[in-house]
């Protein structure tokens, strides 16, 4: 499972294809996020993290971050080199995604 996660995060060349996007406006949709980044290349996934909806009156809300995955690492490289990225009046914080397992290992070593 860890190897599958790394394969989704990095291409065969070892360069990132999956990017973390922080600072997302709570009103920004996944469609708007993907539209913003598709100018850099073909996206294969776009996801905004949301809180779970609890009860009939509580709809899921944006947690202010998400992930985008490009088909080619060169597209992700262009995003990381360009910027700032502004969407819905918010500056986005874009970084290469780090698999959860790697983050947990880093935290345990500290």
């Amino acid at each position: 499972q860890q190897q599958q996660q790394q394969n989704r995060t990095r291409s065969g060349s070892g360069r990132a294809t999956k990017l973390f996007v922080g600072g997302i406006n709570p009103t920004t949709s996944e469609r708007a996020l993907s539209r913003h980044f598709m100018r850099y290349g073909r996206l294969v996934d776009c996801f905004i993290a949301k809180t779970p909806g609890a009860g009939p009156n509580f709809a899921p809300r944006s947690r202010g971050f998400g992930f985008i995955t490009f088909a080619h690492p060169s597209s992700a490289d262009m995003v990381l080199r360009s910027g700032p990225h502004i969407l819905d009046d918010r500056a986005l914080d874009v970084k290469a995604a780090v698999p959860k397992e790697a983050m947990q290992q880093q935290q345990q070593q500290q």
Side-chain angles (χ1 to χ4, degrees), residues 32-74:
L33 186 65
S34 65
R35 238 187 347 244
H36 177 81
F37 286 105
M38 68 176 44
R39 71 183 88 174
Y40 297 96
R42 186 168 66 87
L43 287 173
V44 294
D45 192 29
C46 178
F47 168 78
I48 295 178
K50 295 185 169 57
T51 61
N57 298 325
F58 297 101
R61 292 186 324 214
S62 171
R63 294 180 61 197
F65 71 91
F67 297 92
I68 54 173
T69 306
F70 286 96
H72 301 286
S74 59

Side-chain angles (χ1 to χ4, degrees), residues 2-99:
Q2 183 177 4
Q3 185 62 40
Q4 286 176 331
Q5 179 68 29
Q6 287 176 337
N7 288 344
R8 285 192 300 257
T9 304
R10 302 207 174 268
S11 71
S13 66
R15 291 168 35 216
T17 55
K18 186 173 185 177
L19 302 177
F20 167 85
V21 182
I24 298 173
N25 189 315
T27 63
T28 299
S29 67
E30 287 179 356
R31 183 176 179 188
L33 186 65
S34 65
R35 238 187 347 244
H36 177 81
F37 286 105
M38 68 176 44
R39 71 183 88 174
Y40 297 96
R42 186 168 66 87
L43 287 173
V44 294
D45 192 29
C46 178
F47 168 78
I48 295 178
K50 295 185 169 57
T51 61
N57 298 325
F58 297 101
R61 292 186 324 214
S62 171
R63 294 180 61 197
F65 71 91
F67 297 92
I68 54 173
T69 306
F70 286 96
H72 301 286
S74 59
S75 300
D77 291 343
M78 276 194 290
V79 170
L80 292 171
R81 285 193 311 264
S82 65
H85 296 280
I86 309 293
L87 180 60
D88 295 334
D89 299 320
R90 297 282 293 267
L92 302 176
D93 179 23
V94 183
K95 303 174 185 175
V98 178

